[in-house]
């Protein structure tokens, strides 16, 4: 089965309801940071959904908690980047990712009088040590307006926002970095094949026919941001396919770097695959136990490569 | 296509890795509250997933943020119940549901000296009014050990935990209430039809064949908790099917109450369908605007029905 051409995909699927608001936010963010000669990274994060019905009760989802993207966004801020954090709604976000469930509530002490029991709420002294460094970084990023949060749910939302972000990033040329960590569905259900109402189980188990999503990396690299430094990710569960499929992707799309990883070991080991080299970035057992995250060396390496790329372009 | 018998479903699918720990927690919780003659409600909440591969990258998901279940759990605590909150990982939870994204961080003020900038963290005075009543209720529930959080992801996890909870609730007889608000998949992919590795898009778009999940409400009502008050939910997108399908369910499974709702209006209106009656519970426009949640009257009504049921049994 062949996929639609990417232009046909956009023609066939309406943008999400809040698309114009997000486009305006992206435009202002990129213009502001371009003016002061900042580098901007677009970090995409989390999985996309493919609705199975128009009134969406069921959908196919790609697994991704958003760990890679949300932690990388923090390290890109440390490296001096302005960060567009484009993420799946409800996936992990930088800073807040460190706290889940009831952890926030459990850090809080409430004090007051019997008549007015809730006059003051403090973070418990032993939680301050954990929270303070993260909160301080968050406040610096917010006050310097160096992070923009944009969210998506379906693969169609993602595609519209990705193109809009590229249009806003294009004027930055080499100073734009695309770090495409989102787990984007390869498949979708065409609008005209989607039932209006919830599929009824009484009619027996349905068979779902999926269609291939066009590979947006092709127009992205060749047309939308031809001067940007583009990094894609390759997640496989089969080690034997990893390098070959990464090379195949670089040959096809002509971008700069694939960061390849195996589902089971992705928190400790990745492989950087460029058109001419491939090498491992990994954590030692000691580093992993001490709480170092692999995204710290990954982002340091990507950032260094990006700087070299900018310098090379300026030297031409 | 016919579904497996429920016993075959358990025989064919292993329990989740942390199953024994959760079973122990459920057992202790039920025994403790049974001893002091509390009523216990099992609230299930959020959607279940159906993995498409053994090494799960893709899965089919049922839409449910967990709004109904997480807010109802708070109102059941208000009504004096001990609450087992069995929810989809990362779906909304009681108390924390009121705050999303960066809202927690934005409520906090950090203060200190230049040398030590993070010595104290307080909730801003204007946020204390919002946070204090919620935090106080949370602390009361935790300190009185009246809430137990159990989480699931896949439909198989859910099925194992549901049966374990029922085994622990059965001795409470009429004092057990089951409020089954989770959006459980009707379909799954049998283990032997599931590929080991990620489906490769190069092989063209796949066709996914799903099988019906056995209806666990049947053994639940007739065998697992025959004396409990069981409430199920019916979510439809087509108004015309709503009452008919609810009646059909009551006739088939012989439980006490179906709470029926339409996807688009579920936050303002539900229909209570019993074997002999059906009536609407809804919010007026003024109530909705004032911030009243429909789960408050829903839980009040369910709780009243449950008390009548207990009294009737004692009077026999």
């Amino acid at each position: 089965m062949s996929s639609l051409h990417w232009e046909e995909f956009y023609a066939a699927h309406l943008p999400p309801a809040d698309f114009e608001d997000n486009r305006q936010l992206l435009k202002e963010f990129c213009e502001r940071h371009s003016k002061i000669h900042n580098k901007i990274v677009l970090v995409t994060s989390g999985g996309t959904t493919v609705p199975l019905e128009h009134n969406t009760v069921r959908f196919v989802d790609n697994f991704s908690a958003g760990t890679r993207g949300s932690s990388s966004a923090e390290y890109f801020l440390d490296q001096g980047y302005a960060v567009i954090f484009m993420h799946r709604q409800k996936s992990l976000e930088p800073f807040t990712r460190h706290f889940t469930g009831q952890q926030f509530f459990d850090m809080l002490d409430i004090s007051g009088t019997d008549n007015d029991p809730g006059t003051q709420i403090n973070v418990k002294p032993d939680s301050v040590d954990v929270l303070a460094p993260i909160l301080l970084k968050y406040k610096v990023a917010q006050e310097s307006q160096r992070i923009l949060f944009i969210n998506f749910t379906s693969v169609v939302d993602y595609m519209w926002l990705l193109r809009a972000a590229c249009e806003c990033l294009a004027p930055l040329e080499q100073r734009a970095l695309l770090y495409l960590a989102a787990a984007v569905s390869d498949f979708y259900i065409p609008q005209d094949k989607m039932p209006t109402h919830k599929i009824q189980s009484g009619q027996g188990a349905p068979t779902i026919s999926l269609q291939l999503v066009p590979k947006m990396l092709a127009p992205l690299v060749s047309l939308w941001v031809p001067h940007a430094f583009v990094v894609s990710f390759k997640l496989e569960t089969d080690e034997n396919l990893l390098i070959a499929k990464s090379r195949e992707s670089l040959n096809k799309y002509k971008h700069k770097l694939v960061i390849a990883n195996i589902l089971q070991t992705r928190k400790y080991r990745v492989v950087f695959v460029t058109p001419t080299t491939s090498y491992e970035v990994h954590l030692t057992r000691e580093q992993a136990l001490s709480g170092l995250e692999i995204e710290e060396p990954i982002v340091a390496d990507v950032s260094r490569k990006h700087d070299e790329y900018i310098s090379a372009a300026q030297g031409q």
Side-chain angles (χ1 to χ4, degrees), chain A:
Chain A
M1 186 186 295
S2 71
S3 64
L4 283 182
H5 187 264
W6 63 270
E7 283 176 310
E8 294 172 303
F9 185 88
Y10 286 105
H13 296 90
L14 291 174
D18 55 358
F19 178 67
E20 280 307 324
D21 294 342
N22 282 321
R23 183 148 77 169
Q24 197 54 39
L25 289 171
L26 287 164
K27 194 165 171 283
E28 285 166 9
F29 188 84
C30 290
E31 284 175 357
R32 186 169 65 249
H33 288 285
S34 181
K35 228 175 260 174
I36 51 176
H37 301 286
N38 279 344
K39 294 178 289 183
I40 304 183
V41 60
L42 169 69
V43 176
T44 68
S45 183
T48 62
T49 67
V50 175
L52 301 183
E53 299 135 336
H54 279 293
N55 292 300
T56 303
V57 172
R58 297 198 189 86
F59 49 83
V60 178
D61 204 337
N62 271 39
F63 167 77
S64 174
T67 310
R68 182 82 86 213
S70 61
S71 56
S72 297
E74 287 182 25
Y75 296 116
F76 277 119
L77 288 166
D78 289 346
Q79 294 278 349
Y81 281 84
V83 176
I84 300 168
F85 185 67
M86 190 177 285
H87 69 288
R88 164 72 176 279
Q89 201 167 19
K90 304 278 170 77
S91 69
L92 292 175
E93 298 179 25
F95 310 111
T96 52
R97 73 185 173 101
H98 300 277
F99 308 97
T100 58
Q102 281 74 39
Q103 275 182 284
F104 260 116
F105 276 26
D106 289 334
M107 289 193 292
L108 299 175
D109 256 344
I110 188 162
S111 58
T113 61
D114 277 355
N115 288 336
D116 186 2
T119 45
Q120 212 185 338
I121 306 175
N122 303 314
V123 171
K124 294 175 187 169
D126 58 348
S127 298
V128 169
D129 293 347
V130 180
L131 181 57
I134 298 163
L135 183 61
L136 283 169
K137 282 192 180 187
Y138 171 73
K139 294 213 175 264
V140 167
Q142 286 288 31
E143 281 156 21
S144 60
Q145 297 184 294
R146 279 207 294 125
I147 186 157
L148 175 65
F149 294 89
I150 298 281
N151 69 64
F152 58 82
T153 301
S154 74
V155 65
V156 171
D157 301 348
Y158 171 83
M159 291 302 181
W160 277 96
L161 290 168
L162 178 67
R163 189 171 67 167
C166 287
E167 283 167 1
C168 300
L169 285 167
L172 280 97
E173 302 199 325
Q174 285 80 8
R175 278 181 296 127
L177 168 59
L178 283 84
Y179 185 87
L180 305 173
V184 182
S185 177
D186 296 323
F187 312 107
Y188 74 109
I189 300 181
Q191 297 260 348
D192 55 356
K193 300 241 172 100
M194 214 186 281
T196 302
H197 290 297
K198 187 178 162 187
I199 303 161
Q200 294 296 328
S201 58
Q203 294 155 15
T207 296
I208 302 164
S209 288
L210 300 170
Q211 186 160 346
L212 288 171
V213 170
K215 297 291 187 187
M216 293 301 171
L217 207 46
L220 185 149
V221 174
S222 63
L223 299 172
W224 301 344
V225 282
H227 303 294
F229 192 85
V230 178
V231 182
S232 73
F233 286 76
K234 185 65 80 184
L235 176 70
E236 293 293 337
T237 58
D238 186 350
E239 176 81 44
N240 298 321
L241 293 173
L242 196 64
I243 305 285
K245 288 192 70 79
S246 300
R247 284 249 177 268
E248 198 183 294
S249 175
L250 286 170
N251 288 337
K252 196 162 167 188
Y253 304 116
K254 315 287 180 201
H255 57 307
K256 310 299 178 209
L257 174 65
V258 173
I259 300 180
N261 50 169
I262 294 289
L263 185 64
Q264 292 80 353
T265 60
R266 69 195 188 284
K267 298 200 172 173
Y268 311 103
R269 174 179 173 270
V270 302
V271 183
F272 275 51
V273 185
T274 74
T276 52
T277 59
S278 83
Y279 57 93
E280 229 182 84
V281 172
H282 65 268
L283 296 183
T284 62
R285 203 181 133 73
E286 288 68 36
Q287 288 175 320
L289 287 173
S290 75
L292 187 72
E293 295 178 312
I294 194 168
E295 288 77 14
E296 189 171 341
I298 290 175
V299 166
D301 203 326
V302 168
S303 184
R304 191 178 46 75
K305 278 196 156 46
H306 185 210
D307 283 342
E308 288 168 4
Y309 175 72
I310 294 170
S311 300
Q314 286 168 340
Q316 277 174 352

